[in-house]
Amino acid sequence: MTSYLCAVGTATPPHRIPQPQIASFMAEGLQLDAADTRKLRALYRVTGIAQRHSVLADYGRTNGSFEFFPNTPDLEPFPTVGQRMGAYRQYALPLSVEAVQNCLQQLPELQVTDITHLITVSCTGMYAPGLDIELVEKLGLSSNVRRTCVNFMGCYAAFNALKLAQAFCLADPQAKVLLVCTELCTIHFQKNKEEDHLVSNALFGDGSAAAVVQAQPAKSGYSLSLEAFHCELERDGHADMAWHINDFGFEMTLSSYVPKMIQKGIRQLTDGLLRKLPVKLKDIHAFAIHPGGRKILETIEQELGMSTHDNRFAYQVLRDYGNMSSATVLFVLRELLGSLTPAESGAPVLSFAFGPGLTLEAMLLQVHLA
């Protein structure tokens, strides 16, 4: 018995800002001199990101017209955690609802009252009564829907949500699980000139992704069966990817050593996943990899003998949206689902995501055509 990822819906905020324009905002906000501004612009150019989305219009504006950040040369007084959580509460619900509606449009046979479980995922904001209860009310879900929140696990959290969804479906074949990953990373801009913070500010964007998991494939189109999961901890990378709540927002640490940590552990992760399955790496030609950054994707390709074409969905999401933490891998799976052809029915799909710990998650899926 297995479970199926039957649909993925996505949503992004209305403010789509080109990467060079964000670099200009950052250089001004950090009060960089001409030499450091050139270095920052070079960093933004090599990210592989063309644009990102934000719930804040300020990243596409100049000082004097900001709505969230202070219109002062040094952005002081810098927004507090409370102000940032206020922005999260304002914007997270409508973005989540849009992603869910986009998802459910793909499953006309599923009514919102059929949903038995709701899993909400986020590491960029928390409050109570929270996003889960607001979604129940806004979407018209049953008041007795079973709610689970996966919080503060970072970029790999969607994998844990999918594991939970699978467990619910295995326990109850009638379960209809809706999971919603919503991340507003850009509300946590940190005014810090250290390299780790400069890299983080160059990568992260806002977005929401929703998915439906159930014990049966969708009645039409493509579904992905959840065949197996495997997780590894690369303890040497404990301090290289971290996420802390400080006085002025959530502070991301993303070391330049992360690709080396992934290089060290990706083969072990893949072998651990496939060891007990009748699938070999050489037989896998479809991939859905979390684009934590361009260097991470290149490292995985080198270690597993992949081509950039194999990784095209990850590069496409990175280019168009940046890294949206937990929602990102679902954006990649959405691109993959939209590209499938009948000839790929039965094909295995290998997926990875990475996050604090350093945590490495792997998942094997299989294409099903109704």
Side-chain angles (χ1 to χ4, degrees), residues 153-165:
M153 298 189 83
C155 296
Y156 67 90
F159 278 58
N160 285 280
L162 288 168
K163 291 176 190 177
L164 281 170

Side-chain angles (χ1 to χ4, degrees), residues 251-305:
E251 189 171 308
M252 163 64 80
T253 299
L254 187 60
S255 165
S256 59
Y257 291 105
V258 168
K260 294 181 180 179
M261 295 295 103
I262 292 174
Q263 181 181 33
K264 182 179 177 182
I266 194 67
R267 174 60 71 169
Q268 179 181 348
L269 178 73
T270 305
D271 291 346
L273 175 71
L274 301 180
R275 187 175 296 123
K276 298 180 181 180
L277 297 171
V279 178
K280 303 298 182 185
L281 181 59
K282 63 180 178 62
D283 300 321
I284 300 175
H285 304 288
F287 298 86
I289 298 176
H290 167 70
R294 183 182 60 82
K295 187 64 176 177
I296 288 174
L297 296 179
E298 292 173 349
T299 297
I300 295 171
E301 290 163 13
Q302 293 165 7
E303 288 301 301
L304 300 186

Side-chain angles (χ1 to χ4, degrees), residues 222-331:
Y222 296 96
S223 302
L224 297 172
S225 62
L226 306 177
E227 297 293 323
F229 294 89
H230 187 70
C231 176
E232 294 282 354
L233 275 176
E234 190 58 51
R235 298 185 187 276
D236 290 344
H238 185 82
D240 291 299
M241 189 183 292
W243 193 225
H244 300 287
I245 301 176
N246 288 321
D247 293 341
F248 297 98
F250 297 0
E251 189 171 308
M252 163 64 80
T253 299
L254 187 60
S255 165
S256 59
Y257 291 105
V258 168
K260 294 181 180 179
M261 295 295 103
I262 292 174
Q263 181 181 33
K264 182 179 177 182
I266 194 67
R267 174 60 71 169
Q268 179 181 348
L269 178 73
T270 305
D271 291 346
L273 175 71
L274 301 180
R275 187 175 296 123
K276 298 180 181 180
L277 297 171
V279 178
K280 303 298 182 185
L281 181 59
K282 63 180 178 62
D283 300 321
I284 300 175
H285 304 288
F287 298 86
I289 298 176
H290 167 70
R294 183 182 60 82
K295 187 64 176 177
I296 288 174
L297 296 179
E298 292 173 349
T299 297
I300 295 171
E301 290 163 13
Q302 293 165 7
E303 288 301 301
L304 300 186
M306 295 170 55
S307 68
T308 54
H309 179 75
D310 292 333
N311 228 356
R312 62 193 180 278
F313 304 117
Y315 282 113
Q316 182 175 332
V317 169
L318 182 67
R319 180 195 68 210
D320 293 341
Y321 307 101
N323 183 344
M324 299 166 287
S325 194
S326 69
T328 320
V329 74
L330 291 176
F331 272 68

